[in-house]
Amino acid sequence: MQSSNYIQAAEQVLQHTFGYESFRGRQAEIIESVCYGNTTLVVMPTGGGKSLCYQLPSLLLPGTTVVVSPLIALMKDQCDALMAKGIMASRLDSSQSANEIRETFRSLQAGKTKILYLAPERFFNERFLASIRKMTISLFAIDEAHCISQWGHHFRPDYLKLAALTKQLGVHQVLALTATATPAVLDDIRKAFNIKKNDAIRTKFYRPNLKLLAHNTTTENQYQTLLSRIRN
């Protein structure tokens, strides 16, 4: 598909399925990169619209988009929101009943699921691995990708194994997303997934509606100072 066709198709899905008139920031650039099959790194502040960067392409790409996330609440909220829009999304997490997990597996085996959310620990379940090997994975999205870096503040060892896992599963395209990325963390993510420098997209973090102020105080006076600031 030509670049203009991807953009046109993405804009139609954005408006008709997600209900937005236009893309925000560099979303269009990121989605175009994903649709072209580039393994991409996205650094975007919380609330900047990272989830749309894999949710929308999942509807333009064949097969299933697998989303790895460490946050059960996020997986549930996004699944519910997508299902409300008529998008077949499923999740596998420790809060689900046995019947819910069986239903998810049935949907996967039938090829109905467009987006599957799961925690990285799920890949160490042999039954799940046997099932996912039969799937056509068009995109492997890793949310909170800074967790793969030992320089990150939320380092999780199971995230380190994802790069090797994508090779074992024959996944050709990865989208790594994070709002937390020092230069060392960025380097770790790029090296793990062989992401080209030009395919690492960093958006602006300036938020005109937020202001951070600092005040120096002593340990003895900190609570009195805090109370005074709150009262004012």
Side-chain angles (χ1 to χ4, degrees):
M1 190 182 291
Q2 294 181 351
S3 175
S4 58
N5 291 341
Y6 269 132
I7 294 170
Q8 185 177 13
E11 287 175 345
Q12 289 175 352
V13 173
L14 179 73
Q15 294 167 8
H16 298 155
T17 303
F18 290 93
Y20 299 117
E21 286 300 316
S22 59
F23 290 109
R24 293 163 54 189
R26 301 178 70 180
Q27 282 180 329
E29 177 187 352
I30 295 163
I31 289 169
E32 186 177 5
S33 176
V34 171
C35 288
Y36 266 122
N38 299 329
T39 287
T40 307
L41 168 61
V42 173
V43 185
M44 187 182 288
T46 300
K50 289 191 295 295
S51 59
L52 188 74
C53 295
Y54 55 80
Q55 290 175 350
L56 194 154
S58 74
L59 303 182
L60 300 177
L61 298 170
T64 302
T65 291
V66 172
V67 182
V68 180
S69 173
L71 307 172
I72 291 177
L74 178 143
M75 290 192 277
K76 186 179 186 309
D77 288 348
Q78 291 199 4
C79 273
D80 291 346
L82 289 166
M83 292 291 282
K85 291 178 170 64
I87 301 168
M88 189 59 199
S90 303
R91 75 183 204 277
L92 288 168
D93 64 60
S94 57
S95 71
Q96 292 176 296
S97 67
N99 284 336
E100 288 174 320
I101 291 172
R102 278 194 292 270
E103 183 56 37
T104 296
F105 274 112
R106 280 194 288 267
S107 176
L108 287 170
Q109 289 163 0
K112 295 179 180 179
T113 300
K114 286 302 295 178
I115 305 179
L116 172 66
Y117 288 85
L118 55 119
E121 294 79 9
R122 179 64 57 174
F123 290 105
F124 304 104
N125 180 296
E126 289 301 324
R127 182 190 171 197
F128 173 72
L129 274 178
S131 296
I132 202 172
R133 284 192 176 100
K134 300 173 185 176
M135 292 167 48
T136 301
I137 301 175
S138 55
L139 178 64
F140 197 92
I142 302 172
D143 200 15
E144 308 293 336
H146 60 272
C147 291
I148 76 162
S149 175
Q150 296 188 54
W151 298 100
H153 65 288
H154 286 148
F155 171 62
R156 286 175 64 155
D158 288 327
Y159 260 69
L160 277 177
K161 303 168 186 174
L162 292 178
L165 182 72
T166 57
K167 294 180 177 66
Q168 291 173 23
L169 295 175
V171 174
H172 299 294
Q173 186 180 9
V174 174
L175 173 63
L177 308 106
T178 181
T180 306
T182 63
V185 171
L186 279 176
D187 286 344
D188 275 359
I189 298 171
R190 285 184 53 226
K191 288 174 185 175
F193 297 101
N194 296 316
I195 298 172
K196 298 175 183 176
K197 194 170 184 178
N198 289 342
D199 291 329
I201 301 172
R202 188 168 193 155
T203 65
K204 293 180 180 179
F205 274 65
Y206 174 68
R207 306 285 283 274
N209 60 323
L210 298 180
K211 183 182 290 187
L212 300 177
L213 300 174
H215 178 82
N216 290 326
T217 185
T218 63
T219 303
E220 294 78 12
N221 295 331
Q222 62 180 339
Y223 292 114
Q224 189 57 46
T225 302
L226 177 61
L227 283 172
S228 174
R229 288 300 174 106
I230 291 172
R231 285 170 179 151
N232 289 335

